[in-house]
Amino acid sequence: ERGDEAHALLYRVLELAPDDVDLRNSLVRILLEAEDFDAAEEHAAQVLELSPCNTFGLAQLATVLRSTQRYAAQGELLRDAVERCDSDGARNEYAFFLATSPDASQRDGTRALDLAKRITQYTAGALPDYLDTLATSYAETGDFERAIAVQRQAIEALEARDLEDAVLEPYRARLAEFEARRPIRHE
């Protein structure tokens, strides 16, 4: 919770260990919180240079691109990651993007649903983030009943972990949107 101190410390530590992906990801997270998108983009790109299929680094670079409204670049980044990496994490990021992009030309609910079904079938629905993407994909295709049922399943899985309400709030907010028959636009 002391971002300025952590920011300075991480820069010093990265001078000693410039190839430490976890440290660099931590720095990107702090830079994103500070809305320093230029620096966040630079370090997230370095994460992917060091570890091209690092799901967290991929998600963070996608966040930078979304936050700076470069939706086509975000879609290209995620599509390339799905093609390059055999990773359910990359597929989940791409499916969520396809279902929620504020740029209508980037949305593809059918493709999002295909990807989301694929990753949830292998995890037997055990990962709430993947279920959330599946629910969001159903909503994008207009199947709000399934979106609601799957989102409730995701929330139940999270509630079983006894997490703070702040973690559950985005899931509950999306459920409310589905109940109101509205898809999600991730801005």
Side-chain angles (χ1 to χ4, degrees):
E1 295 181 12
R2 297 182 347 220
D4 290 341
E5 290 177 55
H7 179 260
L9 180 61
L10 282 169
Y11 270 116
R12 285 199 318 257
V13 173
L14 280 171
E15 288 175 6
L16 301 172
D19 294 342
D20 190 312
V21 171
D22 292 332
L23 287 174
R24 199 164 295 278
N25 269 329
S26 295
L27 177 60
V28 174
R29 183 182 47 78
I30 291 169
L31 292 167
L32 283 171
E33 288 171 4
E35 297 184 358
D36 185 347
F37 299 120
D38 290 337
E41 183 172 359
E42 175 187 334
H43 289 282
Q46 289 175 1
V47 165
L48 294 178
E49 284 177 21
L50 295 167
S51 179
C53 294
N54 184 285
T55 302
F56 192 57
L58 176 67
Q60 292 192 119
L61 184 53
T63 297
V64 169
L65 296 172
R66 184 190 71 243
S67 298
T68 56
Q69 300 179 350
R70 292 182 284 162
Y71 307 118
Q74 181 186 9
E76 184 178 331
L77 169 76
L78 296 171
R79 182 180 52 256
D80 290 350
V82 166
E83 291 172 4
R84 183 181 64 251
C85 308
D86 185 23
S87 161
D88 283 342
R91 283 186 277 277
N92 188 63
E93 289 293 325
Y94 188 43
F96 194 80
F97 167 79
L98 290 171
T100 65
S101 179
D103 181 349
S105 71
Q106 298 296 315
R107 280 194 308 276
D108 184 344
T110 302
R111 176 81 173 121
L113 187 57
D114 179 56
L115 287 166
K117 283 180 176 179
R118 180 177 172 191
I119 61 176
T120 55
Q121 86 181 38
Y122 297 121
T123 61
L127 298 174
D129 287 347
Y130 293 1
L131 290 171
D132 180 55
T133 297
L134 179 61
T136 302
S137 299
Y138 275 125
E140 179 57 28
T141 63
D143 190 344
F144 290 101
E145 293 309 315
R146 283 192 178 154
I148 291 166
V150 172
Q151 192 68 5
R152 286 182 178 151
Q153 187 181 354
I155 291 169
E156 287 174 17
L158 288 169
E159 287 174 339
R161 296 179 185 174
D162 196 31
L163 300 170
E164 295 177 18
D165 279 339
V167 173
L168 290 162
E169 190 51 41
Y171 294 84
R172 291 177 178 148
R174 283 192 281 279
L175 176 60
E177 291 296 307
F178 303 153
E179 290 171 337
R181 302 266 189 266
R182 289 188 298 259
I184 303 300
R185 295 295 167 257
H186 200 266
E187 301 199 31

